[in-house]
Amino acid sequence: MVDSETSAVRPGVQFNLTRVFPGGRAELQILVALVVLVGYFTVSQGEMFADLTNLDNMSREGSILLVVSIGQMFALVVGGFDLSVAATMGFASTISALLMQNGAAPGTAIAAGIGCGAVIGAVNGVLIAYFKISPFVATLGMLTFLTGYANLLAGGQSVSGLDPVFTKYLGSGEWGVLPAGVGVAIIVLVVAWVITARLRFGLYLFAVGGSTEASKLAGVPVAAVQAAAYCLCGVLSALAGLLLSARVGIGQAALGLSYDLLSIAAAVIGGVVIGGGAGRLFGVVLGVSLFTVLTTGLDISAVDEFTQQMITGGVLVLAVLLAQTQARRRVRLNRTSSAGSESTGDTSTHPGAPT
């Protein structure tokens, strides 16, 4: 019998979908939806969408969302999520901007911003992994605290006076032929791939998300892995905040507003399972690309912000429903396959079976 993700192209020849898309049908569906969206907006909006300037803007915007979505993926894979990523972005941008406003070098400001992200992520991780506070409560509390603290430090105002070197090399400038943000996103993507695909820690991440009890029995330091995942999420959220700050030229507490929902939506649509244990970076890239094209196309089409929020929420719910349907289908197929194997085994070993 041909596997559910394998189809016969012609007699005697089979095409295995997982060889082209290891993530299976979900990633193929996202790619098809992405192609359809690009085609629709190209036809309906013409040069306004396909213009090189717009493509450059999309790549810069998408790179910021990709960085924070990869961070969100780490939290999701271990069975949680982080609602404070947007607040972390705003807090890191505010701290870095205040330092530069007071004469600090860009490198110092960047290190301080990322360091804040690491501390924020570590605190979230400790609260969730060691004190057993739910991810919703812990990260929502952190979101509220960071928003208030950033506004207090900045006097409720945007912080300007950023160093031109900072805004150029992380924002408006290029790294060779690549926009600055794209260059940073590629580095983050490569590092995340090494972590998830080449290090034992990456194996631990997926194991903990799949089953904490089984991981404990296998000797995996579950709490430490969970805390480290949130720390990585905090670091990447802060980095995304610095990229956005360099792009717009200010630091602000509300700078990352809406990136919490967008990062979860992009990761989940890309195949990262809510509840943990599964997810691929390629799927996250596809999810980010889909949302970037969708939001840019809606902006060009003059769709108002509130309608865009409704569409984003609808797409997220639809993606979760599809993921759950596919998961239930896989469970049924596995049960059917297991039942068939057990039945075959029982027949061959039964005392009355012919030898």
Side-chain angles (χ1 to χ4, degrees):
M1 183 177 69
V2 179
D3 183 76
S4 62
E5 292 186 345
T6 304
S7 60
V9 179
R10 61 178 182 270
V13 178
Q14 291 182 344
F15 171 69
N16 193 338
L17 182 63
T18 58
R19 291 185 178 180
V20 181
F21 293 95
R25 295 181 184 274
E27 290 181 358
L28 179 59
Q29 291 167 351
I30 299 169
L31 184 59
V32 171
L34 180 60
V35 171
V36 170
L37 275 179
V38 170
Y40 171 75
F41 287 125
T42 300
V43 172
S44 63
Q45 303 301 324
E47 292 184 358
M48 290 183 65
F49 181 81
D51 181 69
L52 289 177
T53 301
N54 184 54
L55 295 177
D56 179 77
N57 287 332
M58 283 203 306
S59 68
R60 295 177 189 272
E61 290 290 340
S63 62
I64 297 171
L65 179 57
L66 178 58
V67 171
V68 69
S69 296
I70 292 174
Q72 190 71 254
M73 173 185 167
F74 284 115
L76 287 166
V77 160
V78 295
F81 52 84
D82 191 345
L83 296 178
S84 67
V85 294
T88 302
M89 292 173 66
F91 186 78
S93 76
T94 300
I95 293 297
S96 298
L98 286 172
L99 287 173
M100 283 184 280
Q101 191 181 64
N102 287 278
T108 302
I110 291 171
I114 293 176
C116 287
V119 172
I120 292 165
V123 171
N124 281 335
V126 168
L127 291 175
I128 293 166
Y130 291 96
F131 289 91
K132 306 304 178 184
I133 299 176
S134 74
F136 177 81
V137 174
T139 60
L140 183 61
M142 182 62 75
L143 179 159
T144 307
F145 174 81
L146 291 176
T147 302
Y149 193 20
N151 277 312
L152 180 65
L153 292 174
Q157 304 293 321
S158 299
V159 183
S160 57
L162 277 61
D163 193 297
V165 174
F166 173 79
T167 57
K168 177 180 179 181
Y169 287 100
L170 285 185
S172 60
E174 283 78 29
W175 293 7
V177 297
L178 294 174
V182 176
V184 174
I186 290 174
I187 293 173
V188 169
L189 190 61
V190 171
V191 172
W193 176 81
V194 171
I195 291 173
T196 56
R198 289 292 181 266
L199 298 182
R200 179 173 295 182
F201 174 70
L203 179 63
Y204 288 170
L205 287 172
F206 289 98
V208 169
S211 174
T212 55
E213 294 304 320
S215 298
K216 288 178 181 178
L217 292 174
V220 176
V222 172
V225 170
Q226 290 175 327
Y230 279 95
C231 187
L232 285 171
C233 183
V235 167
L236 293 181
S237 300
L239 178 57
L242 297 181
L243 291 174
L244 184 56
S245 179
R247 178 163 168 73
V248 300
I250 60 170
Q252 188 183 61
L255 198 63
L257 190 65
S258 80
Y259 274 88
D260 42 11
L261 173 61
L262 284 175
S263 62
I264 294 174
V268 171
I269 288 174
V272 181
V273 176
I274 292 181
R280 279 174 27 88
L281 287 167
F282 181 64
V284 176
V285 172
L286 288 177
V288 168
S289 300
L290 184 70
F291 263 104
T292 302
V293 170
L294 178 62
T295 54
T296 302
L298 292 175
D299 282 337
I300 294 175
S301 302
V303 176
D304 64 88
E305 180 183 356
F306 305 117
T307 303
Q308 289 190 36
Q309 291 174 348
M310 293 167 60
I311 293 173
T312 301
V315 170
L316 175 59
V317 172
L318 179 61
V320 172
L321 287 174
L322 290 174
Q324 290 179 341
T325 301
Q326 291 173 348
R328 285 194 293 266
R329 182 170 179 268
R330 285 194 296 268
V331 169
R332 286 196 300 269
L333 288 172
N334 290 337
R335 287 176 178 173
T336 302
S337 177
S338 298
S341 300
E342 291 175 2
S343 176
T344 303
D346 290 343
T347 301
S348 61
T349 59
H350 192 278
T355 57

